[in-house]
Amino acid sequence: MSYYQKHVFFCTNQREEGAECCNNIGAQWMRDYVKDKVQALGLSNETNHIRINSAGCMNRCDEGPVLVVYPEGVWYTYMDESDLDEIIVEHLQNGRVVERLKI
Amino acid sequence: MSYYQKHVFFCTNQREEGAECCNNIGAQWMRDYVKDKVQALGLSNETNHIRINSAGCMNRCDEGPVLVVYPEGVWYTYMDESDLDEIIVEHLQNGRVVERLKI
């Protein structure tokens, strides 16, 4: 069994000015938003054990901003907090893939 | 099937001076070492599709430095390049878990 029940990685990479990258739309802020929300929902505790991480460039810049949920290896893109709320409730809390955001 | 055949995350977090953290023994350098070696071995190409990433704190500091290989969710600690070479050849190249370094 995986150490974390779900281990989420946000690309929070910042490339040079003008270059397409996940942090151009505030990926670091979005990651912090999800981390706080998951904690508030009690999903990061010993029972649920969901971890929200930042990561360097995951090389899917043209589809970004991206995040990936392991061990299932499901990749998402997102536009705003409402997309992230849907991923939190549907996927992280209830284990259902959000097809419309999947890449 | 997972987008990356193997997706490796190194904790490269640097905490305040004195605090135990993966980067105290040069995790960022070690990650670059593995990334270069995996590329040189042709493991990051379209066929093998292995990705070596840096990540923020993965909250296993007391067992660090740590890395994790997904989608299998196998965690390792390492001391030096020779440990990393073993993980590259055994696990990434041949799919065999290195039990002595597993945490």
Side-chain angles (χ1 to χ4, degrees), chain A residues 4 7 51 54 56-58 70, chain B residues 4 7 51 56-58 70:
Chain A
Y4 289 119
H7 199 168
R51 176 83 185 166
S54 55
C57 176
M58 301 198 286
Y70 281 114
Chain B
Y4 289 119
H7 200 169
R51 176 85 185 167
C57 176
M58 300 198 286
Y70 281 113

Side-chain angles (χ1 to χ4, degrees), chain B:
Chain B
M1 208 188 87
S2 206
Y3 181 78
Y4 289 119
Q5 200 183 97
K6 296 191 188 303
H7 200 169
V8 180
F9 294 90
F10 277 73
C11 173
T12 57
N13 193 45
Q14 183 65 62
R15 292 167 78 195
E16 281 164 38
E17 212 177 323
E20 201 166 35
C21 76
C22 291
N23 208 39
N24 281 353
I25 78 137
Q28 185 64 58
W29 189 93
M30 296 291 194
R31 177 265 183 181
D32 293 345
Y33 173 83
V34 173
K35 186 163 184 161
D36 289 348
K37 199 131 188 182
V38 159
Q39 204 152 20
L41 287 167
L43 298 176
S44 53
N45 63 17
E46 288 298 307
T47 312
N48 291 296
H49 225 209
I50 293 178
R51 176 85 185 167
I52 311 298
N53 251 105
S54 55
C57 176
M58 300 198 286
N59 209 27
R60 299 190 73 174
C61 315
D62 53 340
E63 299 163 284
V66 300
L67 63 89
V68 58
V69 185
Y70 281 113
E72 51 265 63
V74 173
W75 290 74
Y76 290 114
T77 189
Y78 57 90
M79 283 294 287
D80 51 30
E81 295 95 315
S82 109
D83 287 347
L84 293 171
D85 287 342
E86 196 173 333
I87 292 168
I88 292 169
V89 173
E90 285 299 304
H91 191 146
L92 302 187
Q93 199 159 28
N94 294 307
R96 295 187 289 254
V97 172
V98 182
E99 295 293 342
R100 74 173 188 91
L101 299 172
K102 199 176 160 191
I103 54 171

